[in-house]
Amino acid sequence: LAAYGKVIFEHEGVFIHSSTEELDDQDSLISGFLRIVDKDGDVVVEYKPLEDTVDPSNMLCACKDSSSVVEWTQRPHRSVDQQLSYETEWDMVNAVSFKRKAHTNGEGGSNHLHERNKRSFSFNVADLRSVTVKCEGWSYLIFCLRDDTTLPAIHFHQGGSQAFLDSLRKSVQLSESPDDENLLLVGTYSKAFSQSFENLLDDTNYGQATNNLCPCKFKKDPYTTTFGGFSKVTNYFFDAFRPSESECQQRPAEEMADILGELIPGLEINQQEEPGFEVITRIDLGTRPEVQRREPVLLENWAKHQDSEGRLSNVPHLKHLIFKGGLCHAVRKEAWKFLLGYYPWDSTHEDRKTLQKRKTDEYFRMKLQWKSVSEEQEKRNSRLRDYKSLIEKDVNRTDRTNKFYEGLDNPGLILLHDILMTYCMYDFDLGYVQGMSDLLSPILYVMENEVDAFWCFVSFMDQMHENFEEQMQGMKTQLIQLSTLLRLLDLAFWNYLEAQDSGYLYFCFRWLLIRFKRELHFQDVLRLWEVMWTGLPCQNFHLLVCCAILDSEKQKIMDRHYGFNEILKHINELSMKLDIEEILIKSEAIYMQIKNCKDLPHSVSEILGLNTVTDSSTLETSEYGVLESPQSSPRPAHRQDQAFSNGHGLLQETSRNRCKVAFIS
């Protein structure tokens, strides 16, 4: 499909009723595929009957599987009436994959009717005028084009109409007609700003600034748009709210603050000094100490920390060794289970066998829940359908250049899919959000076991959960904290970024969202994650990793007088060019520099956990003198008391356990 175009949306089991008066006659139903395809920048909606898109001889179905590799077997083509049957095939996986025949379509918006079949059609979304949405026990859509052509109604007997409309909204603006609640009117805006969340993760090149962007999309759905390709979001700020070069004066800071407040719900932007704040002047942090890395922990070294029954001894020292050098790959499969909290550090071999047996039973009970959902049930569970659709799409594009996941019908992909589906049963409130497959992929690669990978992923998601919640509280807090740290470390650089409307640090969004997964080579991701999982040398160490990368790039950015777009482009192009050992050295050095500062602002101490007072009976002390939990960190509590805006004064409010940060103009 590479030459054919990038498939944005695809849904099978969509029908055209050739005779609305005889709906019970199966011959009157034409089953087909509905797609939205990006063809070199043109977004096209296509409908093709099943017989035009599927080669029955290549139809594949999965055999029953558990934790082992699924084997694929040939099965005969099912007729339309069999496809509509609700009979559960308990020994078969419900999902069926197809090998499509290569075929061509009309490229332009005028070629509405396919020459081969009058029931096939395609149109450019730029030619779409309206969509009528109706319901007759199921939803159906009617497309009306700008040349007054009305296309056949598309019936979604098995759901999917809302997912289609959501995908369509990424390319056009849909607004309800004031005269007809069933009619959606179409308005277009720049494609550069209409990318979905996947482009935040997949995009390797920043688009240039474009015009005619639609502010309504931010106001109506700030979550989707903010998560929709952060280069596109920040380009939107640049074009829509920064004045043209002919204007000699920039928009007031308070106006930019209002805009950002609309973008992220719940983010408070302070425009004037509030009572109880004190101005923190620039602080001399002193010289940055030199630090060195060590060799990775080898198998024999790991074994030395275990007693005869399997308990790990001197855990703080062991964590320190891992922080300073990481792990050799042969140790990771066992060590990650401890670092992520799946295995307790003081457990014996027998304890872990008992735990693994119990966790295996628990996992497969949850897996059976979604495996045993019939077509009839799935038809009435839109959330499960949506999760399943997102997972299938994400799995098919996750780390496909890695040998563990490359090729068609790869067993690694099957396990990736099954673990993510089971996680939906474990945490149905969150379910699946695009990007989570990036967090699971390295864990499954290391574990090579479905159950172990699942429970390690659960622990990692406990730490990352807020990044994927709808209110984005975790992302908001981290961007505020990162801005606070950067301002402390280098006021001149922060002021430069602020002058370029980049003080919000949105170019770090992807770094924080999936923990540098798309910035580093795969093996370097493994090294970084295991270092961060030690909990050393402080909490939120990943923010210092961001500071280290920015510290290395600040001179280029300022010397070359990079503006808003150039900064975004430069940061994006660092992907796969970063040296993980250099980054870790500088990150640790920055930590030591901050820790040695005598007059450290309370806000910074709170971010890094340097003033934490906790019951010593439940914590361990590292050689840095920082208290840390021996288990994985619990899901962080929501913080709603921090805010930032454009400005030049770092303020803090000192109270018992709270700190409110704001940049005041």
Side-chain angles (χ1 to χ4, degrees):
L1 290 176
Y4 173 67
K6 179 181 178 182
V7 177
I8 299 172
F9 171 89
E10 183 175 61
H11 188 71
E12 62 181 280
V14 183
F15 296 85
I16 289 179
H17 293 178
S18 59
S19 175
T20 57
E21 297 176 358
E22 301 180 55
L23 290 181
D24 292 332
D25 181 4
Q26 294 297 327
D27 292 335
S28 68
L29 300 182
I30 299 174
S31 176
F33 281 82
L34 186 65
R35 297 188 182 100
I36 302 177
V37 184
D38 186 336
K39 299 181 178 181
D40 297 326
D42 289 328
V43 179
V44 177
V45 175
E46 300 178 338
Y47 176 83
K48 294 189 69 64
L50 191 62
E51 58 270 20
D52 282 356
T53 55
V54 178
D55 182 354
S57 65
N58 285 329
M59 186 171 176
L60 302 176
C61 185
C63 288
K64 180 180 180 181
D65 80 296
S66 56
S67 62
S68 60
V69 174
V70 173
E71 301 201 4
W72 297 93
T73 56
Q74 195 85 12
R75 278 179 61 83
H77 178 56
R78 293 189 299 172
S79 62
V80 171
D81 59 330
Q82 289 174 310
Q83 292 173 36
L84 293 175
S85 171
Y86 299 132
E87 181 181 354
T88 304
E89 297 180 50
W90 292 98
D91 62 335
M92 308 300 287
V93 174
N94 290 333
V96 176
S97 64
F98 301 90
K99 292 182 181 178
R100 272 92 176 165
K101 288 181 177 180
H103 57 276
T104 58
N105 291 292
E107 298 293 330
S110 301
N111 298 327
H112 309 313
L113 298 180
H114 195 282
E115 294 178 0
R116 290 178 53 195
N117 191 311
K118 65 178 181 179
R119 297 299 182 183
S120 299
F121 62 78
S122 68
F123 60 86
N124 193 308
V125 295
D127 296 324
L128 182 61
R129 182 167 66 192
S130 66
V131 182
T132 301
V133 183
K134 293 191 176 182
C135 183
E136 290 184 358
W138 57 80
S139 296
Y140 69 92
L141 307 179
I142 302 173
F143 303 111
C144 182
L145 306 181
R146 296 188 184 276
D147 62 2
D148 293 326
T149 300
T150 299
L151 299 173
I154 300 297
H155 297 255
F156 292 81
H157 289 192
Q158 301 169 13
S161 61
Q162 190 57 51
F164 169 79
L165 291 173
D166 289 343
S167 295
L168 188 61
R169 284 189 175 96
K170 296 168 186 175
S171 301
V172 296
Q173 179 191 359
L174 298 179
S175 57
E176 188 175 302
S177 169
D179 303 321
D180 185 352
E181 62 179 10
N182 296 321
L183 185 65
L184 298 177
L185 302 177
V186 178
T188 60
Y189 51 84
S190 171
K191 177 181 175 294
F193 180 57
S194 66
Q195 302 301 307
S196 66
F197 181 77
E198 67 196 57
N199 289 334
L200 169 62
L201 307 176
D202 293 338
D203 203 7
T204 55
N205 296 296
Y206 285 101
Q208 294 299 314
T210 52
N211 297 318
N212 301 322
L213 299 176
C214 177
C216 300
K217 189 168 176 64
F218 268 119
K219 297 176 182 178
K220 185 174 181 180
D221 192 359
Y223 175 75
T224 302
T225 30
T226 303
F227 276 65
F230 72 104
S231 65
K232 307 305 188 302
V233 172
T234 41
N235 277 340
Y236 173 76
F237 276 122
F238 183 80
D239 286 333
F241 303 116
R242 189 175 178 180
S244 64
E245 294 180 0
S246 61
E247 297 180 23
C248 60
Q249 182 175 326
Q250 290 195 352
R251 279 184 180 268
E254 61 270 17
E255 189 169 340
M256 290 292 291
D258 289 340
I259 292 163
L260 190 65
E262 289 182 356
L263 169 64
I264 305 182
L267 182 62
E268 299 174 3
I269 307 296
N270 292 277
Q271 297 304 326
Q272 57 186 1
E273 188 170 343
E274 298 180 17
F277 283 81
E278 58 176 333
V279 177
I280 300 175
T281 57
R282 185 169 182 176
I283 296 173
D284 183 7
L285 292 173
T287 58
R288 187 172 295 170
E290 292 186 6
V291 298
Q292 292 183 336
R293 299 278 298 160
R294 297 181 181 178
E295 292 298 314
V297 175
L298 303 177
L299 264 174
E300 52 266 32
N301 203 343
W302 176 265
K304 287 178 183 177
H305 283 77
Q306 286 190 343
D307 63 21
S308 59
E309 293 185 327
R311 296 183 186 87
L312 284 161
S313 60
N314 201 357
V315 174
H317 177 63
L318 181 57
K319 286 184 177 181
H320 170 67
L321 294 178
I322 298 171
F323 172 75
K324 296 294 287 186
L327 298 159
C328 73
H329 193 70
V331 181
R332 283 180 174 138
K333 186 178 292 189
E334 182 175 2
W336 279 24
K337 297 172 188 175
F338 291 93
L339 289 171
L340 285 167
Y342 176 35
Y343 287 168
W345 291 96
D346 60 352
S347 61
T348 64
H349 291 307
E350 288 303 315
D351 291 338
R352 296 194 284 273
K353 284 182 182 178
T354 302
L355 174 67
Q356 194 168 33
K357 183 178 184 302
R358 177 167 57 84
K359 289 294 188 180
T360 298
D361 291 341
E362 188 176 347
Y363 173 79
F364 282 109
R365 281 197 300 270
M366 289 186 290
K367 184 173 181 178
L368 182 62
Q369 290 174 358
W370 66 267
K371 279 280 190 181
S372 59
V373 170
S374 67
E375 291 182 17
E376 177 78 5
Q377 289 175 295
E378 187 175 315
K379 187 176 161 187
R380 289 166 171 78
N381 193 330
S382 60
R383 290 186 67 185
L384 184 62
R385 285 199 311 272
D386 291 344
Y387 291 156
K388 184 177 179 181
S389 176
L390 281 174
I391 288 170
E392 288 172 352
K393 290 175 183 177
D394 269 15
V395 162
N396 284 328
R397 58 185 173 223
T398 299
D399 292 323
R400 297 307 300 274
T401 58
N402 186 310
K403 288 186 178 180
F404 192 80
Y405 298 109
E406 70 180 3
L408 297 174
D409 306 330
N410 184 293
L413 296 179
I414 296 166
L415 295 183
L416 201 65
H417 169 275
D418 286 3
I419 292 170
L420 292 171
M421 283 295 298
T422 305
Y423 186 80
C424 292
M425 298 294 105
Y426 175 83
D427 189 346
F428 206 80
D429 286 342
L430 180 65
Y432 179 78
V433 181
Q434 287 179 306
M436 286 165 55
S437 63
D438 273 290
L439 301 184
L440 172 60
S441 170
I443 294 175
L444 178 58
Y445 170 84
V446 168
M447 294 298 149
E448 298 180 310
N449 176 277
E450 183 176 9
V451 175
D452 291 343
F454 173 81
W455 290 111
C456 287
F457 176 65
V458 165
S459 295
F460 194 20
M461 280 302 301
D462 283 346
Q463 302 174 32
M464 302 292 291
H465 199 279
E466 282 190 314
N467 283 14
F468 297 95
E469 291 173 357
E470 187 170 354
Q471 294 303 312
M472 293 186 299
Q473 187 60 44
M475 293 304 299
K476 287 185 276 189
T477 300
Q478 289 174 87
L479 287 170
I480 293 167
Q481 292 173 335
L482 179 57
S483 185
T484 302
L485 291 172
L486 186 61
R487 182 175 171 80
L488 172 76
L489 291 167
D490 198 320
L491 182 62
F493 181 45
W494 188 90
N495 283 334
Y496 179 85
L497 294 175
E498 184 76 355
Q500 307 304 321
D501 294 338
S502 299
Y504 299 122
L505 304 181
Y506 270 95
F507 47 80
C508 299
F509 195 92
R510 184 171 65 184
W511 298 0
L512 299 172
L513 182 73
I514 51 174
R515 287 296 191 270
F516 308 95
K517 170 63 166 56
R518 294 295 179 96
E519 317 311 317
L520 300 167
H521 291 288
F522 196 85
Q523 292 299 322
D524 290 344
V525 172
L526 308 184
R527 171 72 75 243
L528 175 63
W529 285 7
E530 64 200 12
V531 165
M532 292 194 299
W533 290 337
T534 64
L536 295 175
C538 60
Q539 69 183 27
N540 288 318
F541 181 66
H542 67 286
L543 298 179
L544 298 183
V545 173
C546 294
C547 291
I549 299 173
L550 294 175
D551 184 77
S552 298
E553 302 302 320
K554 67 181 181 183
Q555 213 57 50
K556 279 183 190 174
I557 291 172
M558 291 193 291
D559 288 349
R560 298 176 184 179
H561 305 291
Y562 282 162
F564 189 90
N565 274 354
E566 290 82 9
I567 293 171
L568 292 170
K569 184 174 185 294
H570 178 75
I571 294 297
N572 189 66
E573 289 176 349
L574 294 176
S575 179
M576 302 303 156
K577 298 177 184 176
L578 299 170
D579 186 315
I580 187 58
E581 292 300 319
E582 288 182 5
I583 291 171
L584 289 172
I585 287 171
K586 182 168 284 191
S587 303
E588 184 182 357
I590 290 173
Y591 163 75
M592 296 297 292
Q593 184 183 25
I594 293 176
K595 180 175 178 290
N596 293 336
C597 178
K598 294 181 180 178
D599 300 315
L600 198 64
H602 177 74
S603 58
V604 175
S605 297
E606 188 179 66
I607 290 169
L608 300 181
L610 301 182
N611 57 355
T612 304
V613 179
T614 317
D615 182 2
S616 60
S617 65
T618 60
L619 299 177
E620 299 166 351
T621 306
S622 76
E623 70 169 7
Y624 293 102
V626 178
L627 294 175
E628 60 185 74
S629 170
Q631 303 298 333
S632 60
S633 301
R635 190 175 298 173
H638 288 288
R639 291 186 51 81
Q640 308 234 9
D641 58 341
Q642 293 183 312
F644 71 106
S645 70
N646 282 8
H648 306 289
L650 174 62
L651 309 177
Q652 72 173 19
E653 177 187 24
T654 54
S655 59
R656 285 186 298 179
N657 289 318
R658 298 185 3 159
C659 173
K660 189 169 185 178
V661 177
F663 300 123
I664 308 301
S665 58

